[in-house]
């Protein structure tokens, strides 16, 4: 029997079985009062200091043997209140959207995490994603909610007999510096091209499922044996954003997670009594859990234009509320809630093989935990009604807005303002740019693409000429080699022009490279601007951590919003 099973068999909350030994600084597993502490190692922590003794008797500093009575000197009984306070630190839950990842904050919880790992189903997606997880890089996780009728009480939901389509899809991008994250909802009815997809079938055979053009996004999963790796490949094909990993959940995820935290607060602009979803709530705030929570995220006929796009907004509001509840004090200070949440979430999850191990899940959770809710942005792929349809049932990407948003995510740019510039860097920029600046109309520059996204040189040229007045600029094509950082090379006589262009583009001091000028198409000396891999998109300053001018609807996880 595992740790969890033994605890429950004795009627004991498993969280209360992990006790800090003040003599060793380790958390130890205490199965029963008469059972000696286990040898499970925990992280070393300084032992808490006892208050000064009230009597003058000398203190016995000998270390008691394992299982020694609580009355021996040098080992005081652990008060129940303090014991609970320490136990609450054993597990910490953190999350993203429809599915969440467990993290243990002490090594003593290893065996319990191994039990949780056994709850998680995994899928081998081959080279559709990364083979491992890096704590030092930005990462993208595709959260998929399927409409498959799995789990008790779910027979009446979704499409009868569905193989499990990609019904709810959120691409979670977490920035490299962990200051921000973007949750991009992808409509299930978005018309996309599904690429050919190598898969491993349930019988162990490998096959390539042929791609399809001009079909709904939700068909990227389930049909013809398509697995989540196919959905990941479809995201890359249509947005250019590489997906590193996936997490998939069914209808049970919402029901069990909300029940585990004793409900989530939602808000409605008007009362809703929906016959299809069975949602029945008054206007204003209400607490939902279980079946009612699932009804809330499935309801669409009572919001907006009764379409899937309006339901996506409601789901984003719900997820923001769930994230706030999960990080609230009454959840994090309750070992019982944390264990219920851990059990519920891991049983609802299917992930790619690369992140199905306990250590990897812990690492992901710790990285997610670093992102402040105020800097977690929810947004949706910008779309337009499908012009090929008379009865509007599907949508297509809005080409005037979508590519810019996709580029921001690819280039790790936040949709919220995040102050990041360091004092040293600010001082270096000020020193390098000290002096007069030419007028924008006097700046002569040739633009090269040296590692930025395709079309970046032309896009930046259009911005400089049309929006900034840098009319003496031209597209010089691709650079000879790719650069990690954008650079501006100029002749010392062009320093004033360099300062002006640096101010326009937000170039750092290290980006300015004194050197030689080149001859432009008019036969005049010009500077050379080479757009590197750090280029964030036309019009977005290189020293800005946020895309303030991006034209998309967005909300953040810290704000309470009412669905209407």
């Amino acid at each position: 029997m595992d740790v969890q099973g033994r605890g429950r068999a004795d009627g004991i909350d498993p969280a209360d079985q992990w006790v800090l030994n003040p003599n060793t600084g380790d958390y130890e597993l205490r199965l029963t009062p008469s059972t000696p502490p286990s040898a499970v190692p925990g992280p070393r922590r300084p032992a808490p200091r006892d208050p000064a003794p009230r009597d003058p008797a000398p203190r016995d500093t000998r270390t008691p043997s394992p299982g020694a009575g609580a009355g021996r000197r040098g080992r005081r009984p652990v008060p129940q209140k303090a014991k609970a306070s320490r136990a609450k630190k054993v597990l910490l839950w953190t999350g993203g959207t429809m599915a969440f990842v467990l993290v243990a904050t002490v090594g003593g919880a290893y065996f319990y995490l191994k039990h949780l790992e056994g709850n998680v189903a995994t899928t081998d997606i081959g080279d559709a994603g990364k083979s491992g997880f890096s704590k030092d890089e930005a990462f993208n996780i595709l959260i998929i909610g399927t409409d498959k009728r799995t789990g008790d009480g779910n027979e009446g939901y979704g499409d009868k007999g569905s193989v499990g389509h990609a019904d709810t899809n959120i691409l979670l991008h977490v920035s490299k510096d962990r200051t921000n994250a973007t949750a991009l909802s992808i409509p299930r009815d978005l018309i996309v091209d599904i690429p050919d997809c190598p898969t491993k079938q349930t019988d162990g055979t490998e096959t390539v499922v042929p791609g399809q053009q001009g079909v709904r996004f939700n068909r990227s999963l389930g049909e013809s044996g398509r697995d989540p790796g196919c959905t990941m490949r479809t995201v890359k094909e249509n947005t250019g954003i590489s997906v590193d990993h996936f997490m998939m959940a069914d209808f049970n995820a919402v029901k069990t997670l909300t029940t585990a935290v004793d409900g989530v607060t939602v808000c409605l602009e008007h009362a809703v009594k929906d016959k299809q979803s069975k949602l029945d709530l008054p206007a204003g705030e209400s607490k939902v859990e279980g079946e009612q929570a699932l009804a809330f995220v499935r309801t669409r006929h009572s919001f907006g234009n009764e379409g899937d796009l309006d339901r996506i907004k409601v789901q984003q509001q719900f997820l923001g509320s769930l994230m706030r509840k999960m990080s609230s004090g009454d959840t994090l200070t309750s070992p019982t809630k944390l264990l219920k949440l851990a059990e519920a979430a891991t049983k609802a999850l299917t992930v790619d093989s690369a992140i199905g191990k306990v250590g990897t899940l812990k690492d992901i959770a710790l990285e997610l935990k670093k992102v402040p809710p105020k800097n977690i942005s929810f947004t949706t792929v910008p779309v337009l009604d499908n012009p090929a349809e008379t009865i509007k049932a599907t949508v297509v990407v809005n080409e005037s807005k979508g590519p810019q948003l996709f580029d921001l995510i690819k280039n790790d740019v936040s949709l919220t303002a995040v102050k990041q510039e360091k004092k040293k860097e600010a001082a270096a920029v000020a020193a390098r740019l000290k002096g007069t600046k030419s007028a924008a109309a006097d700046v002569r520059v040739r633009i090269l693409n040296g590692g930025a996204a395709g079309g970046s040189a032309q896009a930046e040229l259009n911005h400089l000429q049309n929006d900034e007045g840098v009319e003496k600029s031209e597209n010089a094509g691709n650079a000879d080699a790719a650069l990690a950082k954008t650079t501006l090379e100029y002749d010392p006589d062009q320093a004033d022009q360099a300062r002006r262009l640096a101010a326009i583009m937000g170039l750092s001091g290290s980006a300015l490279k004194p050197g030689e000028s080149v001859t432009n198409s008019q036969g005049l000396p010009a500077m050379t601007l080479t757009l590197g891999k750090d280029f964030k998109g036309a019009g977005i300053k290189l020293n800005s951590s946020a895309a303030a001018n991006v034209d998309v609807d967005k909300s953040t996880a810290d704000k309470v919003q009412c669905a209407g």
Side-chain angles (χ1 to χ4, degrees):
M1 184 179 292
D2 61 18
V3 171
Q4 184 199 28
R6 294 179 69 171
R8 286 181 174 171
D10 296 333
I12 302 172
D13 189 324
D16 291 329
Q17 295 174 297
W18 294 94
V19 181
L20 180 68
N21 184 336
N23 298 288
T24 65
D26 293 340
Y27 276 90
E28 297 175 345
L29 180 62
R30 197 74 48 77
L31 295 179
T32 67
S34 60
T35 303
S38 75
V40 178
R44 299 290 303 187
R45 293 193 180 185
R49 295 182 180 180
D50 287 333
R54 296 173 184 250
D55 58 80
R59 240 178 122 171
D60 187 349
T61 58
R62 292 173 298 170
T63 300
S65 60
R72 292 184 61 171
R73 277 188 295 181
R75 176 72 180 274
R76 295 189 176 187
V78 180
Q80 288 299 315
K81 184 174 181 181
K83 181 179 176 181
S85 175
R86 292 162 185 162
K88 76 186 181 185
K89 298 178 182 178
V90 174
L91 298 174
L92 177 62
W93 180 259
T94 186
T97 54
M98 291 291 292
F100 301 85
V101 191
L102 181 77
V103 56
T105 57
V106 297
Y110 175 79
F111 286 111
Y112 183 68
L113 279 179
K114 291 297 288 183
H115 158 76
L116 293 174
E117 181 181 304
N119 289 343
V120 181
T122 61
T123 297
D124 184 353
I125 57 171
D127 62 358
K130 288 188 175 180
S131 59
F133 175 74
S134 172
K135 294 185 287 185
D136 301 320
E137 299 294 335
F139 61 91
N140 299 318
I141 296 179
L142 182 62
I143 314 295
I144 305 172
T146 75
D147 58 0
K148 192 173 184 179
R149 296 182 176 191
T150 54
D152 295 337
N154 295 325
E155 297 82 4
Y157 303 133
D159 296 328
K160 187 175 182 180
S162 173
V163 292
H165 295 103
D167 193 55
T168 299
N169 310 278
I170 299 176
L171 179 64
L172 178 66
H173 169 79
V174 180
S175 69
K176 182 177 180 178
D177 60 10
R178 308 300 187 248
T179 62
N180 64 89
T182 299
L184 176 69
S185 292
I186 304 173
R188 66 178 188 181
D189 296 325
L190 178 68
I191 295 299
V192 297
D193 292 337
I194 300 176
D196 293 346
C197 182
T199 63
K200 287 188 177 181
Q201 302 298 304
T202 54
D203 61 1
T205 61
E206 296 185 11
T207 185
V208 176
V209 181
Q212 289 180 280
Q213 271 107 38
V215 297
R216 281 179 167 88
F217 182 88
N218 67 343
R219 296 177 63 182
S220 64
L221 177 68
E223 287 191 10
S224 303
R226 291 191 179 106
D227 62 15
C230 298
T231 309
M232 295 166 63
R233 294 176 193 273
T234 301
V235 172
K236 175 66 180 296
E237 177 78 10
N238 293 273
T239 67
I241 303 170
S242 296
V243 184
D244 303 318
H245 307 285
F246 84 88
M247 295 181 183
M248 184 169 65
D250 56 22
F251 292 123
N252 276 346
V254 174
K255 294 194 294 185
T256 56
L257 289 176
T258 54
T259 299
V261 296
D262 290 342
V264 172
T265 300
V266 297
C267 183
L268 296 174
E269 290 183 357
H270 55 80
V272 169
K273 192 167 187 177
D274 189 89
K275 293 181 180 179
Q276 283 83 0
S277 68
K278 305 297 189 295
L279 181 67
D280 187 357
L281 291 177
E285 291 190 351
S286 299
K287 187 168 76 169
V288 297
E289 63 178 278
E291 295 287 347
Q292 199 174 36
L294 181 58
F296 183 84
V297 298
R298 292 188 68 247
T299 296
R300 64 173 177 170
H301 296 289
S302 297
F303 301 123
N305 295 322
E306 302 186 10
D308 192 53
L309 295 178
D310 289 299
R311 179 166 60 177
I312 285 175
K313 293 179 181 179
V314 173
Q315 291 172 344
Q316 291 173 346
Q317 294 162 11
F318 172 84
L319 292 170
S321 180
L322 177 58
M323 294 172 71
R324 292 192 296 273
K325 182 61 180 286
M326 292 173 69
S327 61
S328 66
D330 66 333
T331 298
L332 297 182
T333 57
S334 170
T336 300
K337 285 185 182 179
L338 290 173
L339 286 173
K340 286 181 180 178
L341 192 54
E343 291 287 344
T346 51
K347 286 179 180 178
L349 275 178
T350 299
V351 303
D352 56 285
S353 303
I355 60 173
K357 297 298 182 182
V358 58
T360 309
L361 293 177
K362 181 189 72 172
D363 289 343
I364 291 175
L366 288 172
E367 297 307 307
L368 288 172
K369 178 177 175 287
K370 297 176 183 178
V371 183
K374 67 178 181 178
N375 292 334
I376 300 176
S377 301
F378 290 102
T379 189
T380 304
V381 172
V383 296
L384 298 171
D385 286 334
N386 186 355
E389 294 178 333
T390 302
I391 300 176
K392 305 303 181 184
T394 60
V395 293
V396 296
V397 173
N398 183 337
E399 293 298 335
S400 68
K401 297 181 180 181
Q404 181 189 18
L405 177 59
F406 303 153
D407 283 345
L408 296 178
I409 294 175
K410 282 192 294 184
N411 291 303
D412 201 22
V413 181
S414 173
L415 299 187
T416 58
V418 183
K419 188 175 182 180
Q420 292 178 310
E421 189 174 18
K422 298 179 181 179
K423 291 183 178 180
K424 286 185 178 180
E425 175 63 15
V429 173
R432 186 68 62 88
L433 300 182
K434 188 175 182 180
T436 60
K437 300 182 181 68
S438 297
D442 296 329
V443 174
R444 295 188 299 272
V445 61
R446 301 179 78 234
I447 306 172
L448 294 171
N449 189 332
S456 292
Q458 186 61 44
E460 182 63 15
L461 174 67
N462 294 340
H463 169 71
L464 290 176
Q465 291 183 340
N466 300 329
D467 302 326
E468 302 292 351
V470 185
E471 299 176 356
K472 298 175 182 178
S473 51
E474 59 188 48
N475 183 352
N478 293 325
D480 294 333
L483 301 178
K485 301 290 185 180
T486 296
T487 63
L488 176 63
E489 184 176 357
Y490 61 97
D491 184 273
D493 292 339
Q494 299 167 316
D496 291 352
Q497 294 182 41
R499 295 186 189 103
R500 173 56 63 190
L501 190 59
I504 291 173
M505 295 189 61
L507 296 174
S508 66
S510 60
L512 304 182
K513 306 291 184 183
E516 297 181 357
S517 63
V518 294
T519 303
N520 66 11
S521 58
Q522 283 79 43
L524 299 173
M527 301 180 293
T528 300
L529 173 67
T530 305
L531 305 179
K533 294 180 180 178
D534 64 334
F535 182 69
K536 301 177 180 182
I540 302 174
K541 291 192 174 186
L542 270 295
N543 62 354
S544 171
S545 62
N549 61 343
V550 61
D551 184 18
V552 296
D553 293 329
K554 61 180 182 291
S555 60
T556 52
D558 64 320
K559 301 291 177 61
V560 177
Q561 293 185 307
C562 294

